[in-house]
Amino acid sequence: MSDVTANKEEEGEEEEEEDSDSIGSEIQKLIDSPNAGKTNKLKSKLKELENVTLNIAVTGMTGAGKSSFVNALRGLANDDGRAAPTGTTETTMKPNMYPHPFMPNVKIWDLPGIGSPKFRAKKYLKDVKFNTYDFFLIVTSERFKENDIELATAIQKSKKLFYFIRTKIDNDVRAESHKRNFDERMLLSNIREDCKSNLLKVGISKIFLVSSFQLEKFDFEKLIKTLEDELPENKRFALIQSLPVYSLENLEKKKAYFKKMIWLNAFASGLVAMPPLPGLSVACDFGIMKNFLRQVFTSYGLSNQALEVLSERVNKSVEDLKSAKTSRFKDGVTDDILIDMLSTPVIAMAKTLGTIMALLPLGALPAGGVAITTVHHLLNKGLNEMTEDTKKVLEASQLT
């Protein structure tokens, strides 16, 4: 291994973090399954996770800021050409579906307001086709009212998930901040308790205070943590992938989910029975590797399109945000980059195989094991490099 060490020193490479405790139970079962058809099963699981749809319904009183919240979830400013229309009067007269700008399988629905005196929850849910949605976000900018409670009760009876969102918290803080004895923590506590007192009928104590223009503040992270705990695993992964990167905590959450996927991608890529590409010593499914790294690049918001959206949001030039990226992936994930990674001499022996073998089922290195460990190592490497790029973009955008 001395040659490997020397090569690593020459290239100035640092040891990449290898997270091997993140194999989900379902993925572990696939890896432990008999070899016959294993590759197809692994690829099928990958395809399933890539194509899972997530439908989020945003509803509530007229003027509560539903459309602004829809735009925030999509990482868009209200004046973006793709944004849901906003205004002081009700702009949503029927369910409007807005696809995520970079992940079209995640769909956010802006539902009609529920402020009408003639509002009837059961009819409303039927009219908006409530079975379409994975969960409901009931939004208000003041106290929750009778219509909110009636709707929540009906959703509860339909056995759907729902959450109460108190929006425009930044406005409340700004309005009170000039007072002599202003205490932001006390103000937020009072707002939360006031909301809770109106929701005793449905027995809900979880209220999330958010600002559509400052997702990194207040309770948005708590909302996401609650959704992580309560959504099915595949829906949870789609949600985390789709969220705009607005904080280091949010970035680390995304990274943790992608690390869970690395073993699945490594096995699906490394178990293939195919010759290596010309000039490479490792036989693997090149497409699976590229697709995984492109997913990371897109979810991290590193594309030009995503940086243009971020530029408008933080009032920083696109060029300043782009120049913050320094990794080999700064301009995207290309065939040339992957071929270069696979042809690097240090990769032929990769990490100490004994370490990796100990992490595999029963400690055994299966057929294609060298390819599997190599792909695992490379995907970790790519994930770490893009994580560092994203941290630099966050710093440049002054979101950290």
Side-chain angles (χ1 to χ4, degrees):
M1 295 299 292
S2 58
D3 292 339
V4 173
T5 304
N7 280 333
K8 293 181 82 169
E9 288 176 353
E10 287 173 9
E11 295 171 16
E13 293 187 1
E14 296 181 0
E15 187 79 4
E16 278 81 25
E17 171 191 359
E18 299 278 358
D19 179 1
S20 304
D21 297 324
S22 59
I23 305 178
S25 58
E26 188 176 356
I27 295 173
Q28 183 70 62
K29 288 178 183 177
L30 284 173
I31 291 172
D32 290 346
S33 65
N35 284 332
K38 181 186 290 190
T39 301
N40 287 336
K41 289 177 184 177
L42 289 165
K43 288 185 177 182
S44 176
K45 182 62 180 177
L46 277 177
K47 188 62 68 177
E48 176 192 329
L49 290 171
E50 288 170 18
N51 295 330
V52 65
T53 58
L54 180 67
N55 287 282
I56 303 170
V58 180
T59 186
M61 298 292 289
T62 299
K66 300 191 311 294
S67 297
S68 290
F69 191 51
V70 166
N71 294 332
L73 291 173
R74 299 166 69 221
L76 300 178
N78 283 340
D79 58 359
D80 189 286
R82 296 160 294 176
T86 58
T88 54
T89 58
E90 178 60 42
T91 58
T92 306
M93 305 308 293
K94 60 182 179 60
N96 285 316
M97 188 276 286
Y98 295 96
H100 189 278
F102 317 122
M103 294 185 63
N105 56 323
V106 175
K107 302 168 184 178
I108 304 171
W109 295 78
D110 192 0
L111 303 189
I114 61 173
S116 166
K118 297 181 179 179
F119 172 77
R120 293 293 178 268
K122 288 183 180 179
K123 184 178 185 306
Y124 178 87
L125 289 178
K126 182 179 179 181
D127 289 345
V128 300
K129 298 184 171 75
F130 79 97
N131 278 328
T132 302
Y133 317 111
D134 292 293
F135 61 91
F136 289 79
L137 301 175
I138 303 174
V139 173
T140 189
S141 58
E142 41 192 58
R143 301 183 79 186
F144 289 98
K145 298 181 179 177
E146 198 61 37
N147 286 355
D148 299 305
I149 296 167
E150 186 182 341
L151 178 59
T153 303
I155 296 172
Q156 197 171 43
K157 288 179 180 176
S158 301
K159 302 190 185 305
K160 287 276 187 176
L161 296 171
F162 66 94
Y163 306 90
F164 287 104
I165 311 295
R166 171 62 159 80
T167 57
K168 302 184 181 181
I169 291 299
D170 50 328
N171 290 349
D172 294 287
V173 170
R174 188 163 49 249
E176 296 290 319
S177 61
H178 68 281
K179 294 183 178 179
R180 184 183 307 170
N181 297 320
F182 172 68
D183 183 327
E184 181 174 311
R185 183 178 298 179
M186 183 61 68
L187 171 65
L188 297 179
S189 176
N190 289 340
I191 292 173
R192 195 186 314 278
E193 290 306 313
D194 184 54
C195 289
K196 284 182 182 180
S197 68
N198 281 38
L199 298 173
L200 294 178
K201 290 183 181 178
V202 285
I204 297 297
S205 60
K206 291 181 181 177
I207 313 294
F208 301 96
L209 314 183
V210 304
S211 163
S212 295
F213 305 103
Q214 296 175 298
L215 293 183
E216 70 278 6
K217 297 188 68 176
F218 312 116
D219 288 347
F220 189 72
E221 277 295 342
K222 291 180 182 177
L223 170 63
I224 300 308
K225 180 64 173 68
T226 301
L227 289 169
E228 280 189 273
D229 292 339
E230 298 183 4
L231 286 175
E233 185 174 11
N234 57 347
K235 302 285 185 177
R236 193 184 315 155
F237 186 50
L239 173 72
I240 299 302
Q241 279 192 83
S242 70
L243 291 174
V245 179
Y246 50 82
S247 67
L248 287 175
E249 184 177 0
N250 167 258
L251 173 61
E252 289 302 319
K253 193 183 297 289
K254 280 180 179 276
K255 181 181 179 183
Y257 271 85
F258 277 115
K259 289 183 80 67
K260 290 180 180 181
M261 298 299 298
I262 285 181
W263 271 119
L264 178 57
N265 280 269
F267 269 81
S269 177
L271 281 176
V272 295
M274 60 183 356
L277 291 172
L280 305 182
S281 59
V282 176
C284 61
D285 190 317
F286 193 81
I288 288 177
M289 291 181 62
K290 184 164 71 171
N291 189 56
F292 173 82
L293 292 172
R294 281 184 169 173
Q295 277 184 294
V296 176
F297 187 81
T298 300
S299 178
Y300 275 11
L302 293 172
S303 68
N304 289 343
Q305 188 181 16
L307 291 179
E308 286 168 6
V309 171
L310 179 61
S311 168
E312 293 179 11
R313 180 177 152 212
V314 300
N315 198 27
K316 298 285 182 182
S317 77
V318 176
E319 289 308 314
D320 283 348
L321 298 179
K322 286 182 181 179
S323 64
K325 298 186 292 182
T326 58
S327 82
R328 73 183 92 201
F329 299 102
K330 63 181 183 294
D331 296 318
V333 179
T334 66
D335 289 355
D336 288 343
I337 290 173
L338 288 180
I339 289 171
D340 181 64
M341 292 177 79
L342 283 164
S343 60
T344 304
V346 67
I347 296 306
M349 295 180 69
K351 312 289 281 180
T352 52
L353 291 182
T355 302
I356 302 295
M357 286 168 63
L359 305 167
L360 297 171
L362 305 178
L365 192 65
V370 173
I372 292 168
T373 55
T374 299
V375 172
H376 182 275
H377 170 72
L378 288 177
L379 294 184
N380 261 297
K381 185 177 181 63
L383 179 64
N384 290 337
E385 288 184 18
M386 283 188 265
T387 300
E388 291 306 308
D389 265 354
T390 310
K391 287 179 181 177
K392 292 170 185 174
V393 169
L394 282 172
E395 185 176 352
S397 65
Q398 296 185 332
L399 285 175
T400 57

